[in-house]
């Protein structure tokens, strides 16, 4: 591996078409934030939007704001913003509830056919696996959780018995990227439906869920989409399924005419049928503001920069810290926007991450032994990557992580 | 009916032990807000709390705030705040999701026994009825929706076939208050479980869900609890049911050890098993701040004032506007904190409410012909009630509501 020269890093930043986007975020001084894959940074407009929503719209407008401040259609508006980012039509996406609750709705819908098998990845994000377990138990299906490399084989083996393939596009631990086009096509060729969790892929690359004929998708908005802690999630349903889709959470906002206060549930004909209760409006308006950062963003540029950042991080680590094992694929086409590492001594991973955080390089640790570093292309520079690796190297070479305060195991949350 | 004298109204306000609470709210000038049963007013501390949560905790603390700013246990903390208001133990209540989603969880749990019948009130709030319809369909139960006056009889008729009685304590249209003690006891005597929706009763009177042995309850926090538009809801489970309860929304935050990232769902042993996805933190922190207004409030005083306000409104209407029909029970023990009226000409109800709102008296209209006025005891005075009726009388006597702008039917939302 050839050495990375400072001049080369400066060139990369100078040529970055997204460099100006960093100014759209509030970021703490002295920090290289590599955890945007867990909680995205704060876009500058959000605090003012929340203040207006609170003081003017809620405080002064009160109940009138559901109409006058256009609160009611916020789930649809935010859905349309997200639709552009995932390659859906505006009327195929709506913002509501949590990713988990939305998964329940679409897994239920996806498993209404005669197929018996739900296939997912064995170490998919826990909530995805748990919801598959629940749907399998409650709809009398069988869940098969297989390693990532065996998914295609499992689908082929299932044949016509496949009910649904449920996958997260970018793995939350390894950062590995599944081939959405191929796996969607394969599952559908066997008569199954596909549900994709886009939590770790929306906002870091161009997605084309509609063009790829994806049946359903869900995702959270607090990672690369910067919607804020626990921001409302979204759900996508391909337009060919919307009219016939049934989901069991019959809430009044999913009714064809919520304000007719009819005694019989009649699902809305549109994507609104995925709504349940009243939208968490303050969080939703914060999210709407946050998403404006993406309005003028070309996702191809985002993808290019993402790969450039992760490649630089990998290259620098190869030089400086070869004792770490790279968990994330080296092949750019096979990874999302995070880099996961493991350390030979599995007992030290957590302490190393605590030391990094104290020294201003914020990533996170995932049991049993993964250090995760997420690269949000809208607010990170190549220079940030260099700085992070420099600090990382110091922490390892000077064994700073061996200090008692890092060694003392804290509650992992 | 004897005339209400101004001096009497001044005396009532002077003797009001809760009068000082009005200063805890931001309220628009020139408005008598009688829609706190739909969206509560803004408590003064909320905007500052949201600003801190956004700028400091999210913006500067970033991912660290889940621990350092104590975000993780917010659902439990808010649950404990609400527990005091509904007469539950702190570990029996948790804040999460929407009322509708929480209803799904507890109805599912309530219907796991051998009983076949779900009984609810025929014109219960739509989302309650819809969720009963979904659970009945999906668990193979039978739903019987009967008029309020026939509930006790329906329970007796059901006998051992009763699975669950699901009721809203205060009716969203009529304001009628059910006898929670008697109906709970009756349903349980027949082997059924009870689910109460407290949306229109929490915060306006002392509640004793635990002492009354109530099995499950849900409620929203954006009405009398002033949590903000679409604020997170809550769910109560009597402690005797918590360990055995199963609910089908297997989300990672309901897991016994969410951060072990285990592949198999194992429900938390505590009320945390009702959690699903990540809490909508900004909305939740706003709610936590809003609930502080209730910290030093005696709910018996709240109930007394609520009845005093609604009684005054009813008495003044009897004198000034006898052409309206009172839908809400005259008997204080049978009503919550709202007064519902209907007008002889059903086509005029909506126009009358629009005229009232334009003239600063904000209530709401519920199809087909109900004018609702909610009385939030923490921020309304008896003088407000007098003023509201005076404006109301002018609008009727001068036929202001007949103006074309009020007659033009607007979209009802």
């Amino acid at each position: 591996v050839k050495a990375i020269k400072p001049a080369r890093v400066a060139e990369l930043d100078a040529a970055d078409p997204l460099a100006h986007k960093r100014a759209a975020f509030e970021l703490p001084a002295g920090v290289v934030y590599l955890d945007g894959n867990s909680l995205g940074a704060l876009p500058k407009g959000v605090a003012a939007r929340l203040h207006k929503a609170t003081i003017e719209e809620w405080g002064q407008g009160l109940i009138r704001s559901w109409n006058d401040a256009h609160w009611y259609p916020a789930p649809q508006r935010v859905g349309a913003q997200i639709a552009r980012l995932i390659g859906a039509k505006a009327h195929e996406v709506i913002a509501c509830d949590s990713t988990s609750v939305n998964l329940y709705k679409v897994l239920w819908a996806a498993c209404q056919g005669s197929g018996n098998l739900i296939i997912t990845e064995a170490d998919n994000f826990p909530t995805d696996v748990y919801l598959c377990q629940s749907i399998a138990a409650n709809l009398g299906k069988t869940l098969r959780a297989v390693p990532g490399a065996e998914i295609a084989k499992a689908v082929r083996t299932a044949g016509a018995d496949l009910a649904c393939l449920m996958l997260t596009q970018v793995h939350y631990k390894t950062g590995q990227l599944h081939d959405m086009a191929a796996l969607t096509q394969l599952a559908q060729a066997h008569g199954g439906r596909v549900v994709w969790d886009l939590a770790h892929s929306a906002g870091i690359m161009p997605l084309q869920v509609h063009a790829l004929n994806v049946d359903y998708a869900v995702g959270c908005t607090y990672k690369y989409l910067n919607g804020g802690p626990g921001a409302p999630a979204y759900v996508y349903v391909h337009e060919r399924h919307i009219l016939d889709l049934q989901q069991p959470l019959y809430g009044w906002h999913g009714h064809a005419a919520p304000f007719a206060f009819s005694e019989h549930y009649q699902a809305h004909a549109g994507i609104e049928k995925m709504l349940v209760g009243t939208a968490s409006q303050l969080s939703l308006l914060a999210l709407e503001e946050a998403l404006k950062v993406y309005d003028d963003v070309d996702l191809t540029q985002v993808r290019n920069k993402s790969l450039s950042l992760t490649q630089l991080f990998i290259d620098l680590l190869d030089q400086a810290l070869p004792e770490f094992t790279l968990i994330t694929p080296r092949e750019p086409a096979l990874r999302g926007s995070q880099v996961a590492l493991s350390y030979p001594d599995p007992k030290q991973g957590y302490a190393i991450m605590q030391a990094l955080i104290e020294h201003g390089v914020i990533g996170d640790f995932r049991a049993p032994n993964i250090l995760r570093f997420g690269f949000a292309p809208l607010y990170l520079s190549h220079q940030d990557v260099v700085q992070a690796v420099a600090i990382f190297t110091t922490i390892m070479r000077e064994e700073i992580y061996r200090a008692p305060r890092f060694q003392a195991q804290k509650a992992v949350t």
Side-chain angles (χ1 to χ4, degrees), chain A:
Chain A
V1 181
K2 67 178 177 183
I4 312 292
K5 291 178 184 162
R8 174 71 187 132
V9 170
E11 278 169 26
L12 288 169
D13 282 339
D16 174 12
L18 297 170
H20 66 288
K21 278 289 172 186
R22 183 171 191 144
F25 294 88
E26 302 280 359
L27 283 162
V31 161
V32 178
Y33 190 58
L34 303 181
D35 213 6
N37 52 329
S38 187
L39 174 66
L42 169 64
K44 278 189 176 158
V46 170
R49 179 68 190 95
L50 268 173
H51 193 73
K52 182 173 189 281
T54 305
I55 292 289
E56 289 180 28
E57 297 176 9
W58 173 12
Q60 298 295 306
L62 290 160
I63 193 69
R64 298 169 290 197
S65 289
W66 282 106
N67 287 311
D68 298 350
H70 312 291
W71 285 353
Y72 276 116
Q76 290 91 329
R77 286 200 309 274
V78 175
Q81 287 175 291
I82 295 165
R84 190 184 80 81
L85 299 176
I86 66 171
K89 297 188 178 181
H91 67 271
E92 293 176 321
V93 183
I94 199 154
C96 54
D97 298 316
S98 65
T99 309
S100 300
V101 170
N102 289 332
L103 253 174
Y104 186 77
K105 301 172 196 167
V106 295
L107 281 169
W108 183 286
C111 290
Q112 292 302 307
S114 58
N116 172 55
L117 269 183
I118 303 172
I119 294 177
T120 191
E121 188 168 0
D123 57 350
N124 196 349
F125 186 72
T127 222
D128 300 82
V129 180
Y130 302 159
L131 267 307
C132 287
Q133 288 169 5
S134 171
I135 291 292
N138 293 316
L139 296 185
K141 305 285 179 183
T142 301
L143 174 61
R144 192 165 293 165
V146 301
E150 296 172 24
I151 292 166
K153 184 181 151 200
V155 170
R156 283 189 210 100
T157 306
D161 203 28
L162 181 67
C164 166
L165 174 63
M166 192 280 125
L167 293 173
T168 302
Q169 190 181 11
V170 172
H171 196 283
Y172 82 107
K173 276 188 187 171
T174 67
Q176 182 160 356
L177 174 68
H178 280 303
D179 184 338
M180 184 185 280
L183 287 168
T184 297
Q185 200 171 20
L186 181 68
Q188 292 177 344
H190 288 83
R193 294 195 172 179
V194 296
V195 177
W196 286 98
D197 180 343
L198 309 176
H200 287 271
S201 46
I204 57 156
M205 61 177 70
L207 298 176
Q208 294 296 339
V209 292
H210 180 89
L212 295 181
N213 203 37
V214 167
D215 298 285
Y216 316 95
V218 297
C220 84
T221 63
Y222 49 76
K223 299 180 186 293
Y224 298 109
L225 301 184
N226 311 302
Y234 60 90
V235 55
Y236 151 89
V237 179
H238 192 286
E239 61 184 359
R240 75 188 185 283
H241 293 314
I242 293 176
L243 193 61
D244 291 336
L245 181 146
Q246 291 184 27
Q247 60 91 359
L249 294 165
Y250 293 0
W252 68 300
H253 282 278
H255 194 276
F259 291 90
F261 297 99
S262 153
E263 285 181 21
H264 293 281
Y265 187 72
Q266 187 190 338
H268 197 289
I271 191 72
E272 289 84 351
K273 66 169 53 172
M274 305 308 277
L275 297 177
V276 187
T278 304
S280 203
Q281 200 62 226
L282 296 177
S283 290
L284 195 55
L285 296 173
L287 169 59
E288 182 177 29
E289 184 66 31
L291 287 170
K292 289 181 183 170
V293 172
Y294 271 98
D295 274 353
D296 60 353
V297 166
D298 174 348
L299 287 162
T300 301
Q301 289 180 348
V302 172
R303 176 64 169 160
N304 291 340
K305 182 171 175 187
S306 160
L307 291 177
S308 179
L309 292 169
T310 51
Q311 191 62 54
L312 178 61
F313 189 65
I314 292 168
D315 289 345
L316 290 170
L317 287 174
D318 282 342
Q319 292 172 28
L321 296 167
E323 67 267 38
F324 282 87
T325 302
L326 182 67
I327 306 294
T328 305
R330 282 184 187 274
E331 169 62 37
L334 296 183
R335 67 175 185 256
S337 200
Q338 76 177 48
V339 175
L341 309 174
S342 71
Y343 189 64
D345 179 353
K347 290 182 185 163
Q348 296 302 332
Y350 186 70
I352 291 167
M353 184 52 75
Q354 295 309 110
L356 278 164
I357 292 170
E358 190 182 285
H359 288 77
V361 178
I362 302 181
D364 61 26
F365 178 79
R366 285 291 175 261
N369 185 27
I370 285 186
L371 291 90
R372 290 200 313 179
F373 301 89
F375 295 82
L378 296 194
Y379 50 81
L380 289 174
S381 67
H382 296 82
Q383 186 51 49
D384 287 330
V385 176
V386 171
Q387 191 185 339
V389 175
I391 292 168
F392 198 172
T393 306
T394 301
I395 283 167
M396 297 311 297
R397 293 296 164 259
E398 298 182 9
E399 299 195 353
I400 291 170
Y401 65 94
R402 293 198 183 275
R405 68 183 182 284
F406 301 128
Q407 293 290 320
Q409 178 73 33
K410 294 204 292 188
V412 178
T413 51

